[in-house]
Amino acid sequence: MSRTHADPSTRVGYLAWQVVHVMGARLERALRSLDLTAAQHDALQHVGWTPGTSAAEIARRTGLTPQSMGAAVNALVDRGLLVRREHPSNRRTVQLTITDSGEKLADRARELVERLDTEALAVLAPVEQAAIHALLLRVLAELNPDALPPRDLRGADSGLV
């Protein structure tokens, strides 16, 4: 019995997986220059977007395990980049806020990520870049809407406002 093997590059999921791994490796290498991991970067950015959020909420948004995000947050707290505060009405919930030094590092990391995106998408025309961005946002909104920043922080051109 003969088996036919489909070309994996005909599947969107395969292509997305390949792009994720290439971009993830580039991101990890670049973030090392700032002494950050990708999880720590995610934590800094999410706390900057939504001060008072919890590590558990960030884990849900990023798709990381609570344990991985907890380790990332602990490292950032130890470095004085994030601060933990008890929730005013729920003592079991710990809120995170970003410090001034954390905000400065988050800004530097954001610039680095923007540069990586620009380099990766340079092969596409601006209209193609906008189209792929809009399409990815739509797919992500369907698959994991928690991964998107709050509505008031989304760009008007995202199509998700």
Side-chain angles (χ1 to χ4, degrees):
M1 182 153 130
S2 142
R3 295 169 108 188
T4 49
H5 296 283
D7 175 0
S9 69
T10 63
R11 294 190 327 265
V12 172
Y14 174 82
L15 295 174
W17 183 81
Q18 288 292 330
V19 170
V20 164
H21 284 280
V22 170
M23 291 296 292
R26 288 180 181 184
L27 178 64
E28 286 280 357
R29 277 193 305 274
L31 289 173
R32 271 190 232 129
S33 69
L34 301 177
D35 195 26
L36 287 174
T37 66
Q40 291 168 350
H41 169 264
D42 287 349
L44 275 179
Q45 299 303 327
H46 281 274
V47 173
W49 291 331
T50 53
T53 192
S54 68
E57 178 63 27
I58 299 169
R60 274 190 296 280
R61 289 181 188 167
T62 59
L64 295 174
T65 65
Q67 295 81 2
S68 294
M69 187 50 63
V73 166
N74 286 340
L76 295 170
V77 168
D78 290 347
R79 290 174 59 188
L81 302 170
L82 294 180
V83 175
R84 286 187 179 98
R85 292 199 172 91
E86 191 175 282
H87 190 281
S89 61
N90 183 352
R91 293 184 343 168
R92 291 178 24 184
T93 301
V94 176
Q95 296 180 311
L96 298 167
T97 56
I98 195 165
T99 65
D100 289 341
S101 56
E103 188 63 51
K104 288 176 186 165
L105 185 59
D107 288 344
R108 288 178 54 207
R110 210 171 7 260
E111 290 170 7
L112 187 146
V113 170
E114 287 172 10
R115 188 172 64 246
L116 287 175
D117 282 353
T118 299
E119 291 169 3
L121 296 175
V123 68
L124 301 174
V127 69
E128 293 171 318
Q129 291 178 24
I132 199 166
H133 182 254
L135 292 170
L136 288 171
L137 278 172
R138 281 180 43 201
V139 171
L140 184 58
E142 178 65 26
L143 297 176
N144 183 11
D146 289 337
L148 297 170
R151 285 192 176 277
D152 58 337
L153 292 175
R154 295 182 199 157
D157 62 341
S158 74
L160 295 172
V161 177

